[in-house]
């Protein structure tokens, strides 16, 4: 089913002679992280997945990321057995997100004029702190190692949600949810759902609570 979903992209990449990047950790490492934590992933592969270990650790302590974790990332937790805790799911997702960001960043740093496009499920990019939000930090770390001026800022990464639904944006109503962090205690860390929303056909007016720039 997944192969069928991505087959048009594979064909397009072949026709245009585009490079394809494998962005996921090894499946056994995803399973290991979820069952036993990140420390259970073999050190040599963990180094491949995480090029900026200090930034990787520090990110989880930032208030904005904590808001994202609570309001977005953990909303997709579906226990595989009755006793499973969300900590395992959290370890799995941050490994998947960091690995994808690291691979994309390594490619971009080696090819400064390149354009890297990532196709990922909505939960991995909504509210800008999944794969997408990690890329500028990893690029900065890699460029710093090479003593090269980093040009990849947050503004260099554009996130587009394709045909999003209210459910996919974690809305409790028929409207799309456009931000998280709208309460007085979290307003300083408010984060939009994406830079752009792209619909194959005109969406119902009652799906969007207000117009966005575009």
């Amino acid at each position: 089913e997944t192969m069928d979903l991505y087959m048009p992209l594979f064909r397009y990449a072949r026709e245009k002679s585009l490079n394809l990047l494998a962005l996921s950790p090894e499946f056994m490492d995803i399973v290991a992280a979820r069952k036993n934590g990140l420390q259970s992933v073999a050190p040599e592969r963990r180094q491949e997945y995480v090029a900026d270990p200090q930034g990787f650790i520090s990110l989880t302590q930032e208030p904005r990321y904590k808001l994202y974790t609570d309001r977005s990332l953990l909303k997709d937790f579906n226990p595989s057995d009755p006793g499973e805790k969300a900590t395992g799911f959290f370890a799995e997702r941050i490994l998947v997100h960091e690995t994808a960001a690291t691979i994309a960043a390594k490619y971009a740093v080696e090819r400064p004029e390149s354009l890297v496009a990532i196709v990922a499920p909505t939960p991995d990019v909504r509210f800008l702190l999944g794969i997408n939000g990690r890329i500028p930090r990893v690029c900065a770390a890699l460029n710093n190692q090479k003593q090269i001026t980093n040009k990849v800022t947050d503004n260099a990464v554009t996130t587009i949600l394709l045909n999003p639904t209210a459910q996919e944006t974690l809305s409790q109503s028929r409207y799309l949810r456009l931000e998280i962090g709208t309460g007085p205690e979290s307003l300083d860390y408010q984060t939009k759902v994406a830079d752009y929303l792209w619909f194959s056909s005109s969406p119902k007016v009652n799906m969007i609570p207000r117009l966005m720039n575009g």
Side-chain angles (χ1 to χ4, degrees):
E1 183 179 347
T2 301
M3 287 296 294
D4 290 341
L5 179 65
Y6 286 102
M7 192 56 68
L9 288 175
F10 294 150
R11 294 196 188 100
Y12 181 83
R14 184 173 59 185
E15 291 171 3
K16 302 297 182 180
S17 299
L18 302 178
N19 294 327
L20 291 175
L21 302 177
L23 299 180
S24 176
E26 295 291 341
F27 181 71
M28 61 182 177
D29 292 331
I30 296 176
V31 173
R34 180 152 184 166
K35 286 186 175 181
N36 301 305
L38 294 171
Q39 70 279 3
S40 65
V41 177
E44 64 274 11
R45 287 201 300 279
R46 199 162 63 232
Q47 289 180 356
E48 293 179 11
Y49 301 149
V50 182
D52 176 31
Q54 186 57 53
F56 176 63
I57 295 169
S58 298
L59 176 65
T60 61
Q61 303 306 312
E62 294 179 6
R64 187 167 177 247
Y65 191 81
K66 289 182 178 181
L67 176 72
Y68 161 79
T69 299
D70 180 60
R71 306 285 175 85
S72 180
L73 191 149
L74 292 182
K75 295 296 184 183
D76 294 304
F77 173 51
N78 184 21
S80 56
D81 62 67
E84 186 181 18
K85 297 182 179 180
T87 51
F89 176 76
F90 177 75
E92 171 201 302
R93 297 325 298 163
I94 64 173
L95 175 65
V96 169
H97 291 173
E98 187 75 7
T99 300
T102 296
I103 293 170
K106 285 180 177 178
Y107 185 91
V109 166
E110 293 297 329
R111 303 162 184 80
E113 303 305 318
S114 63
L115 172 66
V116 181
I118 297 176
V119 180
T122 296
D124 291 329
V125 295
R126 71 182 172 215
F127 300 112
L128 308 184
L129 287 172
I131 297 169
N132 39 358
R134 294 168 178 267
I135 292 173
R137 169 181 54 79
V138 179
C139 281
L142 292 173
N143 280 320
N144 185 56
Q145 292 169 14
K146 294 175 175 289
Q147 297 184 328
I148 299 172
T149 301
N150 180 58
K151 296 182 180 180
V152 182
T153 64
D154 288 340
N155 292 332
V157 179
T158 300
T159 299
I160 304 171
L161 296 189
L162 304 178
N163 297 315
T165 64
Q167 182 179 10
E168 287 174 329
T169 62
L170 305 176
S171 173
Q172 299 299 313
S173 70
R174 66 178 182 271
Y175 298 114
L176 296 177
R177 187 173 190 178
L178 301 183
E179 308 97 0
I180 53 174
T182 55
E185 75 288 348
S186 58
L187 199 58
D188 288 344
Y189 313 114
Q190 186 176 94
T191 306
K192 59 187 176 183
V193 69
D195 295 300
Y196 299 97
L197 306 177
W198 189 306
F199 295 94
S200 299
S201 57
S202 295
K204 294 181 179 179
V205 175
N206 62 6
M207 277 187 64
I208 304 177
R210 68 178 188 278
L211 293 177
M212 300 176 70
N213 293 333

